[in-house]
Amino acid sequence: MRLLGTISADRPLLVVAVREEAAHLGDRLPVLLTGIGKVNAAAALATVLAGGRHPSEVVNLGTAGALRPGWEGTHTVTQVIQHDLDTPALFALTGRTYGAPLVVGKGGDGPVLATGDLFVSEPAARDRLAEHADLVDMEGYAVATVAHRAGLPVRLVKHVSDEAGDGAAHTWRESVDDCARHLADWLHAQGW
């Protein structure tokens, strides 16, 4: 975890998993580098917010795998699910829902993001997830959960880096810098 810059109530906090994804963001806004995965993302954001200063909103920028052919570009997610938590089994055991889908941003029409600690690189896993989501990442649900619990608005903005199938790891390494440039372009288009 590493916080670059100072959090203030008049500007957003950018939350990014790794420095490669933040390479072109500049230094006008604070950037929290969380590390990869749900635990790292949740722990880093919760730790920073527990320090007392809260941003105007939390913006999670990062790469995502496409779960369907033809998906590319930068997307603002409207709903995020947790794909590696067995919510129905936990409900059957406890009678309570854990890991329910979260509406993020302004809601409405837009892609569904599936978050989990599995780097999806097998076609069978991709096809199973495509039944419920459009994109897959490893931090979005955790970031949204912490922001919601802190009462902060949250946006999840993802640029497609690969097709979440064979060769996804190689493709991510080859495309992450280009993805980081597109995420920086999105940020600048917001006026930040």
Side-chain angles (χ1 to χ4, degrees):
M1 176 186 101
R2 185 170 178 206
L3 177 62
L4 307 170
T6 304
I7 296 172
S8 64
D10 63 340
R11 59 191 183 159
L13 170 63
L14 307 179
V15 179
V16 183
V18 292
R19 62 182 165 78
E20 291 89 348
E21 294 172 325
H24 303 286
L25 296 179
D27 60 2
R28 293 190 321 268
L29 295 173
V31 176
L32 175 61
L33 300 174
T34 66
I36 294 174
K38 294 185 305 184
V39 170
N40 286 329
L45 183 56
T47 298
V48 165
L49 295 178
R53 289 193 172 153
H54 284 193
S56 61
E57 71 177 302
V58 173
V59 180
N60 175 222
L61 299 170
T63 56
L67 295 173
R68 294 188 181 90
W71 276 76
E72 55 185 32
T74 304
H75 302 276
T76 301
V77 172
T78 59
Q79 185 179 63
V80 60
I81 63 174
Q82 196 169 186
H83 74 76
D84 60 355
L85 183 69
D86 194 343
T87 299
L90 294 175
F91 183 80
L93 289 171
T94 67
R96 292 182 297 278
T97 299
Y98 296 93
L102 300 174
V103 173
V104 293
K106 295 180 176 150
D109 291 333
V112 174
L113 176 68
T115 297
D117 283 326
L118 171 70
F119 185 86
V120 178
S121 60
E122 296 178 4
R126 180 196 59 222
D127 295 345
R128 180 182 54 81
L129 290 175
E131 295 175 12
H132 307 286
D134 306 298
L135 303 170
V136 63
D137 86 336
M138 298 177 74
E139 297 82 26
Y141 192 94
V143 171
T145 298
V146 172
H148 281 184
R149 289 185 183 180
L152 293 170
V154 61
R155 280 193 267 182
L156 307 178
V157 179
K158 303 296 177 173
H159 191 83
V160 175
S161 60
D162 59 79
E163 290 190 356
D166 291 333
H170 174 74
T171 302
W172 184 89
R173 282 191 299 274
E174 295 296 318
S175 68
V176 68
D177 191 65
D178 186 54
C179 292
R181 288 182 194 282
H182 285 287
L183 292 167
D185 290 346
W186 177 89
L187 187 66
H188 296 139
Q190 305 307 303
W192 296 319

